[in-house]
Amino acid sequence: MELDEKIYLYLLFILPIVVLLFLFNLYWKRKKQREFGDLDLIKKLSPESSVFKPVLKLVVLLLAITGLILGLVNPKIGTKMETVKREGIDIVFAMDVSKSMLAEDVAPNRLDKSKQIVSQIINQLGTDRIGIVAYAGSSFPVLPITTDYSVAKMFLQSMNTDMVSSVGTSLDEAIRLSATYFDDKKTSKLLILVSDGEDHSEGAEAAAEEANKMGIKIITIGVGTEKGGTIPLKRNGVVEGFKRDNNNEVVITKLNQESLKAIAKATKGGYVNGANTKEVLEYIKNALNNIEKTEFEATQMADFKSQFQWFLGIAFFLLLLDVFLLERKTKWVNKLNLFNDKE
């Protein structure tokens, strides 16, 4: 069960307030009756007055208020898992999270630009399965293959340069880990590798050729500029300096398009510069249209269905019932003499 508007649950504090008001009113009535005269005499003067009915009216009112509040909260029920058939491809996004991705030669910086691009690509997908890998000097599995795009975007936004401890950039590691994500041999496979192309390891092209033998096509997206930029070192959002090399020189990191193009070429894929997000989306869209879609089964949660109408219906019925509940004794109940009132 899921609650849509949990904040309305605070209204349940009204219930004890209503009970206190009822008890205070009861106390006030008894006090005034004592001031007026003898309670036994008053009881004889009003024989039709019921002790039980006011309590019943209170219970009905409390249940009605509870129903109204639960209607506002809008409980949803839909925990049924169902298997649906979909048609699409398997896509893995390999995201470069090395320190060079903090360079601000593209706004706001290379990493945030990469997140924007991938998020927009996910938005235009239909029924494809997606996974996410992070890499720097080594690779880290972020999200396995899934059809849940909202979860994927949540994991995507949480990615940062501290999630992979080893420094540098190892494109071959990223390709090899991404290849393990594709668990269905029949499904078309696409690896979208987002990076500035700086590779501090060897064998990226060899890894791409291995991926090609597995039927994986690679599209690379270059983020950054060939002019390059510095890598700011920040604390609490304030720049304290810039990354320096062993010679204490400020590091200038540049976009290496050639390495990204070579990786894509090894799998008969393609390369696109990430400077213009609209152009990237068009390129990816055309590429996806040219890849054969495969039918697969996906397990998903059935849609939650709102249940507020039941609670509101019961609440309004109880309020209507409360109107017709008079504080006088009910004749047929009185005849039963359940409380031995008659002597």
Side-chain angles (χ1 to χ4, degrees), residues 138-199:
S138 59
S139 297
F140 178 78
V142 176
L143 180 71
I145 288 288
T146 180
T147 54
D148 194 330
Y149 294 168
S150 59
V151 170
K153 287 194 282 188
M154 181 182 70
F155 275 90
L156 175 68
Q157 295 306 318
S158 67
M159 295 177 72
N160 57 72
T161 56
D162 296 323
M163 63 192 309
V164 179
S165 57
S166 53
V167 297
T169 308
S170 183
L171 293 171
D172 59 324
E173 285 278 338
I175 295 169
R176 289 192 176 96
L177 177 59
S178 299
T180 64
Y181 268 50
F182 301 105
D183 54 2
D184 191 339
K185 294 181 180 180
K186 298 178 182 178
T187 308
S188 298
K189 308 168 184 64
L190 175 64
L191 168 59
I192 298 179
L193 192 148
V194 188
S195 174
D196 55 20
E198 284 197 343
D199 190 4

Side-chain angles (χ1 to χ4, degrees), residues 1-48:
M1 179 181 285
E2 183 181 85
L3 303 179
D4 231 12
E5 301 290 343
K6 294 181 181 179
I7 192 169
Y8 288 117
L9 288 174
Y10 288 109
L11 293 175
L12 290 172
F13 287 114
I14 293 174
L15 300 180
I17 295 173
V18 172
V19 173
L20 289 173
L21 289 174
F22 172 80
L23 293 174
F24 176 78
N25 182 59
L26 195 62
Y27 167 78
W28 179 82
K29 280 183 177 181
R30 286 295 178 94
K31 184 180 178 182
K32 290 299 179 182
Q33 286 174 351
R34 286 193 185 98
E35 291 175 1
F36 179 76
D38 184 70
L39 290 178
D40 290 332
L41 180 60
I42 293 171
K43 186 177 180 182
K44 290 177 180 179
L45 292 173
S46 53
E48 296 301 318

